[in-house]
Amino acid sequence: MHSEAGWIGRLRLLTRGDPRELSLWLREPVGREGAGPGGAGRGTLPALMVAIVGGAALYGFSLGFWRAPLQGLYVAIKLPCLVFLTLLVNGGINGMLGQLLGSGMTFRQTLVCCLMSFATFALLVGSLSPIVCLWVLDAPDPLAAEGRAWYRYFLLVNTGIIAVAGIIANVRLLRLIQEFTGERTIAARTLFAWLSGNLFVGAQLSFIFRPFFGNPRLPVQFLRPDPLDGNFYQTVWYMLKESIDPQLSDATGFLVAAVVLAGLFALGHALSAAQDPASGPPKSPSPSRIP
Amino acid sequence: MSPEEAKPESTQPVVLPPSAAPLQRARSLGLALEIEPMPGPVNISSVTEALLRRPGRLLHAASQGVELRSKLFLVCAASLAIFGLILGTYSGGTQLWAAPLKLILGMAVAGLICFPSLYIFSAMDGLEARPAQLATLLLSTIALTALLLLGFAPVIWVFCVSTDSLAFIGTLVLTFWLIGLYFGRRILSGASEALGARSSSFIRLWMVIFTVVTLQMATSLRPLIGTAETFLPQEKRFFLQHWAEQFAEVE
């Protein structure tokens, strides 16, 4: 049982990642968070926000630092903003889907749950930022001839770091939802819904907030001159089209995307229905009489 | 406290059909359809919460004679109005008021013209419900769909401000529309099973018809996204033909 109060105690709980403890944390009534023995009554939201702002800003700085320290500062501001904006845009629909899919969470609990996941991610990547910074200090100059090859290497390694941290954060989130709801299928379904929405919106917001890594061929900027021109998915489609067949129509792309989405949705629905023990024959033949 | 608000406090039991299967089936869909009284007063907030978390509470309140339809209609209208406003920001100008108006009007007409078939189809599934009960169920379905669209509205807005592609926004709205109707269908079939329907196959079929009607309605009231010279279209078109033409224009 958690009795640790204050931000540090809360963050320790988060890093331990015990689903039972986190579930109890999630169930605490508003205004009573952290009010355990000797607790200072610190709120949940400030603790999670400190983790996200601190971790994401540190990692963001290390991402942009290679291009220029100013770019590092810009990314340190943008990365936490990206997390909070994603949650802001998806907060309503995440809460609704969580309730509809049977998680039993309120809007506030859904928000805290998502913040916990992002905070775990931020703590992980933030803890790696000194290593990335040191690596950057040892890197060739961005404008040097070998800079371009190093940039690709840097992109690849950091994509790996982000992917691994994202997987760990989401596995923990899955365990937490499972502990909270008591049902694996509902937990998987809820996580799938939240993750799909957050990835879908997060990709577009990161497209708007680019640059993050700071391409050495482009100037140091907070945002590109045309941040709201175009969208992530169209850009990906145009790149794919160029590599497959430049004559392919955009309509084909939309149709393919729609068919893939529908297929994934149907597959997920069929799999969760097949795994659900409650979908079997009724155990009790007695009439349901509910007062 | 008004008489309406006092009614849900009733402790009279609601007897469900002599089989536990409907409830278990409903739970397998992730839908907590325990029929139970509303814990507090019946207002917009409690109706919204019940739609999302405990649809069984709406069934109980309806069975106790509580007037839910006006509240459900308000939830629908407000949600569709905000969603329409966000859609309208794609083009701005007239569309800021035309899109919400057309959405509310289109959904209301689709619900009205599909209601007789819902009555017949639900009867074929073995559901012995009064028209008033079915109207509440239909409104609950539409209200849940509208609420989900409201939840998706910020996502639509992010793309409305950052893309010019009508086809992209159209596909996105269509996807969200279908997701909303999918969850709406769950409430309709779950509730009808809990109320004694033998199956939900005809209701599922009806839901497909209702989906097609709403899509045709969106085409008949076009444009919901983008601009046009007239408020309503001058030309009659089937929705698939309209989409095909829109995609062709993108090229």
Side-chain angles (χ1 to χ4, degrees):
Chain A
M1 173 68 196
H2 60 79
S3 58
E4 293 181 85
W7 294 357
I8 301 294
R10 292 269 135 174
L11 295 183
R12 276 207 197 101
L13 264 181
L14 192 67
T15 45
R16 270 208 300 273
D18 182 337
R20 203 173 65 86
E21 288 184 326
L22 292 178
S23 174
L24 287 170
W25 177 2
L26 208 56
R27 287 180 196 277
E28 285 173 348
V30 182
R32 297 284 303 155
E33 303 99 332
R42 298 283 190 191
T44 293
L45 291 182
L48 296 174
M49 284 181 174
V50 164
I52 292 171
V53 171
L58 280 173
Y59 185 64
F61 179 79
S62 61
L63 285 186
F65 181 44
W66 175 63
R67 179 68 185 86
L70 183 62
Q71 187 71 60
L73 182 67
Y74 288 159
V75 185
I77 296 167
K78 288 192 291 183
L79 209 53
C81 289
L82 176 66
V83 170
F84 290 126
L85 269 175
T86 304
L87 284 177
L88 190 69
V89 170
N90 275 343
I93 193 66
N94 280 348
M96 286 182 190
L97 289 175
Q99 293 183 12
L100 280 170
L101 295 171
S103 74
M105 289 185 196
T106 61
F107 278 94
R108 180 186 160 277
Q109 285 169 331
T110 301
L111 177 69
V112 172
C113 221
C114 290
L115 278 171
M116 281 177 178
S117 174
F118 276 113
T120 306
F121 170 82
L123 287 173
L124 277 169
V125 294
S127 69
L128 293 175
S129 62
I131 300 169
V132 179
C133 276
L134 195 69
W135 185 36
V136 165
L137 286 173
D138 201 30
D141 189 87
L143 303 174
E146 62 272 31
R148 193 172 292 180
W150 194 88
Y151 174 66
R152 284 196 291 271
Y153 188 44
F154 186 61
L155 270 178
L156 191 68
V157 171
N158 279 292
T159 307
I161 289 174
I162 291 168
V164 170
I167 289 168
I168 293 171
N170 280 295
V171 167
R172 288 192 165 196
L173 179 60
L174 178 66
R175 287 183 189 153
L176 170 59
I177 308 170
Q178 197 173 323
E179 174 68 29
F180 191 92
T181 59
E183 283 198 44
R184 201 177 54 182
T185 314
I186 290 178
R189 221 181 266 163
T190 307
L191 178 73
F192 178 75
W194 290 353
L195 198 56
S196 308
N198 290 344
L199 284 175
F200 184 74
V201 172
Q204 174 61 15
L205 288 175
S206 57
F207 182 82
I208 292 171
F209 274 107
R210 68 199 192 281
F212 285 94
F213 288 91
N215 190 327
R217 285 174 293 174
L218 295 172
V220 173
Q221 288 166 321
F222 186 73
L223 295 174
R224 293 282 180 239
D226 49 356
L228 294 177
D229 189 13
N231 76 58
F232 173 80
Y233 300 97
Q234 279 179 300
T235 308
V236 169
W237 166 243
Y238 292 143
M239 285 164 69
L240 267 175
K241 200 165 83 162
E242 283 302 311
S243 58
I244 300 168
D245 177 8
Q247 301 303 316
L248 273 176
S249 67
D250 288 351
T252 313
F254 288 124
L255 284 176
V256 168
V259 169
V260 169
L261 275 176
L264 280 174
F265 187 72
L267 185 69
H269 184 73
L271 282 176
S272 66
Q275 283 176 3
D276 194 341
S279 59
K283 286 173 188 165
S284 165
S286 61
S288 303
R289 189 181 173 87
I290 300 165
Chain B
M1 187 184 280
S2 71
E4 274 183 13
E5 287 167 348
K7 280 176 184 170
E9 301 298 330
S10 162
T11 52
Q12 281 188 351
V14 174
V15 182
L16 291 181
S19 162
L23 272 180
Q24 293 209 358
R25 178 88 178 271
R27 284 198 195 104
S28 79
L29 294 167
L31 193 63
L33 236 171
E34 285 91 357
I35 299 185
E36 58 188 12
M38 290 265 195
V42 182
N43 51 35
I44 297 282
S45 168
S46 62
V47 166
T48 306
E49 194 196 343
L51 272 173
L52 291 168
R53 304 183 75 176
R54 305 267 178 190
R57 287 179 181 170
L58 294 177
L59 290 183
H60 183 276
S63 72
Q64 300 293 308
V66 177
E67 218 304 288
L68 286 174
R69 288 186 289 277
S70 57
K71 295 175 183 72
L72 287 168
F73 183 78
L74 268 178
V75 172
C76 287
S79 305
L80 288 175
I82 298 170
F83 181 70
L85 182 71
I86 300 291
L87 273 190
T89 59
Y90 177 77
S91 305
T94 317
Q95 282 297 84
L96 288 174
W97 61 266
L101 185 67
K102 286 178 179 181
L103 271 175
I104 295 169
L105 194 70
M107 202 57 130
V109 173
L112 277 174
I113 62 173
C114 288
F115 185 69
S117 54
L118 174 64
Y119 188 73
I120 301 297
F121 278 54
S122 62
M124 292 174 89
D125 266 335
L127 180 65
E128 292 176 18
R130 285 176 285 114
Q133 277 180 307
L134 269 183
T136 307
L137 272 184
L138 175 59
L139 269 170
S140 304
T141 303
I142 299 176
L144 182 58
T145 306
L147 265 179
L148 281 166
L149 289 175
L150 177 67
F152 281 121
V155 182
I156 294 280
W157 178 77
V158 166
F159 285 93
C160 275
V161 295
S162 56
T163 184
D164 292 331
S165 171
L166 190 66
F168 184 86
I169 296 288
T171 309
L172 200 60
V173 172
L174 176 66
T175 308
F176 292 159
W177 190 267
L178 293 178
I179 291 174
L181 285 170
Y182 168 78
F183 282 102
R185 194 273 297 170
R186 287 198 337 160
I187 208 172
L188 184 63
S189 43
S192 60
E193 284 184 16
L195 283 172
R198 287 190 307 270
S199 72
S200 64
S201 48
F202 278 99
I203 284 178
R204 286 174 190 214
L205 178 62
W206 178 86
M207 202 63 206
V208 173
I209 296 169
F210 181 67
T211 304
V212 171
V213 169
T214 58
L215 296 178
Q216 179 59 39
M217 198 57 71
T219 306
S220 302
L221 296 174
R222 68 189 182 276
L224 290 177
I225 317 165
T227 52
E229 287 172 7
T230 52
F231 180 72
L232 288 174
Q234 305 293 303
E235 217 179 330
K236 290 171 188 168
R237 274 185 208 160
F238 183 52
F239 73 94
L240 286 177
Q241 178 200 2
H242 172 62
W243 291 353
E245 285 173 14
Q246 288 299 311
F247 276 121
E249 276 178 29
V250 170
E251 299 312 317

